[in-house]
mmCIF file with all atom_site columns, all heavy atoms in Angstrom:
data_model
loop_
_atom_site.group_PDB
_atom_site.id
_atom_site.type_symbol
_atom_site.label_atom_id
_atom_site.label_alt_id
_atom_site.label_comp_id
_atom_site.label_asym_id
_atom_site.label_entity_id
_atom_site.label_seq_id
_atom_site.pdbx_PDB_ins_code
_atom_site.Cartn_x
_atom_site.Cartn_y
_atom_site.Cartn_z
_atom_site.occupancy
_atom_site.B_iso_or_equiv
_atom_site.pdbx_formal_charge
_atom_site.auth_seq_id
_atom_site.auth_comp_id
_atom_site.auth_asym_id
_atom_site.auth_atom_id
_atom_site.pdbx_PDB_model_num
ATOM 1  N N   . LYS F 1 435 ? -4.267  15.412 -17.770 1.00 87.00 ? 448 LYS F N   1
ATOM 2  C CA  . LYS F 1 435 ? -4.573  16.825 -17.949 1.00 87.00 ? 448 LYS F CA  1
ATOM 3  C C   . LYS F 1 435 ? -3.544  17.710 -17.269 1.00 87.00 ? 448 LYS F C   1
ATOM 4  O O   . LYS F 1 435 ? -3.180  18.767 -17.776 1.00 87.00 ? 448 LYS F O   1
ATOM 5  C CB  . LYS F 1 435 ? -5.968  17.143 -17.390 1.00 87.00 ? 448 LYS F CB  1
ATOM 6  C CG  . LYS F 1 435 ? -7.111  16.595 -18.218 1.00 87.00 ? 448 LYS F CG  1
ATOM 7  C CD  . LYS F 1 435 ? -8.433  16.893 -17.562 1.00 87.00 ? 448 LYS F CD  1
ATOM 8  C CE  . LYS F 1 435 ? -8.706  18.380 -17.568 1.00 87.00 ? 448 LYS F CE  1
ATOM 9  N NZ  . LYS F 1 435 ? -8.912  18.905 -18.937 1.00 87.00 ? 448 LYS F NZ  1
ATOM 10 N N   . GLY F 1 436 ? -3.060  17.279 -16.121 1.00 83.00 ? 449 GLY F N   1
ATOM 11 C CA  . GLY F 1 436 ? -2.058  18.040 -15.403 1.00 83.00 ? 449 GLY F CA  1
ATOM 12 C C   . GLY F 1 436 ? -2.629  19.246 -14.692 1.00 83.00 ? 449 GLY F C   1
ATOM 13 O O   . GLY F 1 436 ? -3.773  19.650 -14.917 1.00 83.00 ? 449 GLY F O   1
ATOM 14 N N   . PRO F 1 437 ? -1.833  19.839 -13.796 1.00 86.00 ? 450 PRO F N   1
ATOM 15 C CA  . PRO F 1 437 ? -2.290  21.025 -13.063 1.00 86.00 ? 450 PRO F CA  1
ATOM 16 C C   . PRO F 1 437 ? -2.396  22.229 -13.986 1.00 86.00 ? 450 PRO F C   1
ATOM 17 O O   . PRO F 1 437 ? -1.562  22.428 -14.871 1.00 86.00 ? 450 PRO F O   1
ATOM 18 C CB  . PRO F 1 437 ? -1.214  21.228 -12.002 1.00 86.00 ? 450 PRO F CB  1
ATOM 19 C CG  . PRO F 1 437 ? 0.005   20.598 -12.578 1.00 86.00 ? 450 PRO F CG  1
ATOM 20 C CD  . PRO F 1 437 ? -0.466  19.433 -13.409 1.00 86.00 ? 450 PRO F CD  1
ATOM 21 N N   . VAL F 1 438 ? -3.433  23.039 -13.795 1.00 77.00 ? 451 VAL F N   1
ATOM 22 C CA  . VAL F 1 438 ? -3.617  24.275 -14.548 1.00 77.00 ? 451 VAL F CA  1
ATOM 23 C C   . VAL F 1 438 ? -3.193  25.424 -13.650 1.00 77.00 ? 451 VAL F C   1
ATOM 24 O O   . VAL F 1 438 ? -3.734  25.604 -12.559 1.00 77.00 ? 451 VAL F O   1
ATOM 25 C CB  . VAL F 1 438 ? -5.090  24.450 -14.990 1.00 77.00 ? 451 VAL F CB  1
ATOM 26 C CG1 . VAL F 1 438 ? -5.266  25.763 -15.728 1.00 77.00 ? 451 VAL F CG1 1
ATOM 27 C CG2 . VAL F 1 438 ? -5.508  23.276 -15.848 1.00 77.00 ? 451 VAL F CG2 1
ATOM 28 N N   . THR F 1 439 ? -2.209  26.184 -14.091 1.00 70.00 ? 452 THR F N   1
ATOM 29 C CA  . THR F 1 439 ? -1.676  27.270 -13.269 1.00 70.00 ? 452 THR F CA  1
ATOM 30 C C   . THR F 1 439 ? -2.410  28.564 -13.540 1.00 70.00 ? 452 THR F C   1
ATOM 31 O O   . THR F 1 439 ? -3.162  28.696 -14.511 1.00 70.00 ? 452 THR F O   1
ATOM 32 C CB  . THR F 1 439 ? -0.179  27.470 -13.553 1.00 70.00 ? 452 THR F CB  1
ATOM 33 O OG1 . THR F 1 439 ? -0.017  27.889 -14.908 1.00 70.00 ? 452 THR F OG1 1
ATOM 34 C CG2 . THR F 1 439 ? 0.581   26.169 -13.331 1.00 70.00 ? 452 THR F CG2 1
ATOM 35 N N   . ASN F 1 440 ? -2.164  29.545 -12.709 1.00 62.00 ? 453 ASN F N   1
ATOM 36 C CA  . ASN F 1 440 ? -2.825  30.842 -12.793 1.00 62.00 ? 453 ASN F CA  1
ATOM 37 C C   . ASN F 1 440 ? -1.955  31.902 -13.445 1.00 62.00 ? 453 ASN F C   1
ATOM 38 O O   . ASN F 1 440 ? -2.230  33.087 -13.319 1.00 62.00 ? 453 ASN F O   1
ATOM 39 C CB  . ASN F 1 440 ? -3.192  31.328 -11.384 1.00 62.00 ? 453 ASN F CB  1
ATOM 40 C CG  . ASN F 1 440 ? -4.666  31.106 -11.096 1.00 62.00 ? 453 ASN F CG  1
ATOM 41 O OD1 . ASN F 1 440 ? -5.491  31.136 -11.995 1.00 62.00 ? 453 ASN F OD1 1
ATOM 42 N ND2 . ASN F 1 440 ? -4.967  30.880 -9.834  1.00 62.00 ? 453 ASN F ND2 1
ATOM 43 N N   . GLU F 1 441 ? -0.879  31.490 -14.101 1.00 49.00 ? 454 GLU F N   1
ATOM 44 C CA  . GLU F 1 441 ? 0.025   32.465 -14.691 1.00 49.00 ? 454 GLU F CA  1
ATOM 45 C C   . GLU F 1 441 ? -0.706  33.283 -15.742 1.00 49.00 ? 454 GLU F C   1
ATOM 46 O O   . GLU F 1 441 ? -1.297  32.749 -16.684 1.00 49.00 ? 454 GLU F O   1
ATOM 47 C CB  . GLU F 1 441 ? 1.227   31.756 -15.334 1.00 49.00 ? 454 GLU F CB  1
ATOM 48 C CG  . GLU F 1 441 ? 2.095   31.045 -14.310 1.00 49.00 ? 454 GLU F CG  1
ATOM 49 C CD  . GLU F 1 441 ? 3.266   30.337 -14.958 1.00 49.00 ? 454 GLU F CD  1
ATOM 50 O OE1 . GLU F 1 441 ? 3.439   30.514 -16.178 1.00 49.00 ? 454 GLU F OE1 1
ATOM 51 O OE2 . GLU F 1 441 ? 3.993   29.628 -14.257 1.00 49.00 ? 454 GLU F OE2 1
ATOM 52 N N   . GLY F 1 442 ? -0.694  34.573 -15.605 1.00 37.00 ? 455 GLY F N   1
ATOM 53 C CA  . GLY F 1 442 ? -1.325  35.448 -16.572 1.00 37.00 ? 455 GLY F CA  1
ATOM 54 C C   . GLY F 1 442 ? -2.807  35.596 -16.385 1.00 37.00 ? 455 GLY F C   1
ATOM 55 O O   . GLY F 1 442 ? -3.476  36.281 -17.154 1.00 37.00 ? 455 GLY F O   1
ATOM 56 N N   . ALA F 1 443 ? -3.387  34.979 -15.387 1.00 39.00 ? 456 ALA F N   1
ATOM 57 C CA  . ALA F 1 443 ? -4.832  35.064 -15.193 1.00 39.00 ? 456 ALA F CA  1
ATOM 58 C C   . ALA F 1 443 ? -5.204  36.439 -14.664 1.00 39.00 ? 456 ALA F C   1
ATOM 59 O O   . ALA F 1 443 ? -4.500  37.047 -13.876 1.00 39.00 ? 456 ALA F O   1
ATOM 60 C CB  . ALA F 1 443 ? -5.283  33.997 -14.210 1.00 39.00 ? 456 ALA F CB  1
ATOM 61 N N   . GLU F 1 444 ? -6.367  36.957 -15.116 1.00 33.00 ? 457 GLU F N   1
ATOM 62 C CA  . GLU F 1 444 ? -6.819  38.262 -14.681 1.00 33.00 ? 457 GLU F CA  1
ATOM 63 C C   . GLU F 1 444 ? -7.673  38.171 -13.429 1.00 33.00 ? 457 GLU F C   1
ATOM 64 O O   . GLU F 1 444 ? -7.948  39.167 -12.781 1.00 33.00 ? 457 GLU F O   1
ATOM 65 C CB  . GLU F 1 444 ? -7.622  38.938 -15.802 1.00 33.00 ? 457 GLU F CB  1
ATOM 66 C CG  . GLU F 1 444 ? -6.782  39.174 -17.058 1.00 33.00 ? 457 GLU F CG  1
ATOM 67 C CD  . GLU F 1 444 ? -7.605  39.799 -18.178 1.00 33.00 ? 457 GLU F CD  1
ATOM 68 O OE1 . GLU F 1 444 ? -8.823  40.003 -17.949 1.00 33.00 ? 457 GLU F OE1 1
ATOM 69 O OE2 . GLU F 1 444 ? -7.048  40.090 -19.238 1.00 33.00 ? 457 GLU F OE2 1
ATOM 70 N N   . THR F 1 445 ? -8.113  36.986 -13.087 1.00 34.00 ? 458 THR F N   1
ATOM 71 C CA  . THR F 1 445 ? -8.984  36.827 -11.944 1.00 34.00 ? 458 THR F CA  1
ATOM 72 C C   . THR F 1 445 ? -8.182  36.802 -10.660 1.00 34.00 ? 458 THR F C   1
ATOM 73 O O   . THR F 1 445 ? -6.972  36.578 -10.653 1.00 34.00 ? 458 THR F O   1
ATOM 74 C CB  . THR F 1 445 ? -9.784  35.516 -12.059 1.00 34.00 ? 458 THR F CB  1
ATOM 75 O OG1 . THR F 1 445 ? -8.854  34.455 -12.206 1.00 34.00 ? 458 THR F OG1 1
ATOM 76 C CG2 . THR F 1 445 ? -10.717 35.555 -13.236 1.00 34.00 ? 458 THR F CG2 1
ATOM 77 N N   . SER F 1 446 ? -8.869  37.023 -9.560  1.00 37.00 ? 459 SER F N   1
ATOM 78 C CA  . SER F 1 446 ? -8.229  36.998 -8.255  1.00 37.00 ? 459 SER F CA  1
ATOM 79 C C   . SER F 1 446 ? -7.780  35.591 -7.910  1.00 37.00 ? 459 SER F C   1
ATOM 80 O O   . SER F 1 446 ? -8.435  34.611 -8.266  1.00 37.00 ? 459 SER F O   1
ATOM 81 C CB  . SER F 1 446 ? -9.205  37.502 -7.190  1.00 37.00 ? 459 SER F CB  1
ATOM 82 O OG  . SER F 1 446 ? -8.677  37.278 -5.908  1.00 37.00 ? 459 SER F OG  1
#
Side-chain angles (χ1 to χ4, degrees):
K448 288 177 67 67
V451 178
T452 64
N453 258 330
E454 295 179 6
E457 298 178 358
T458 56
S459 170

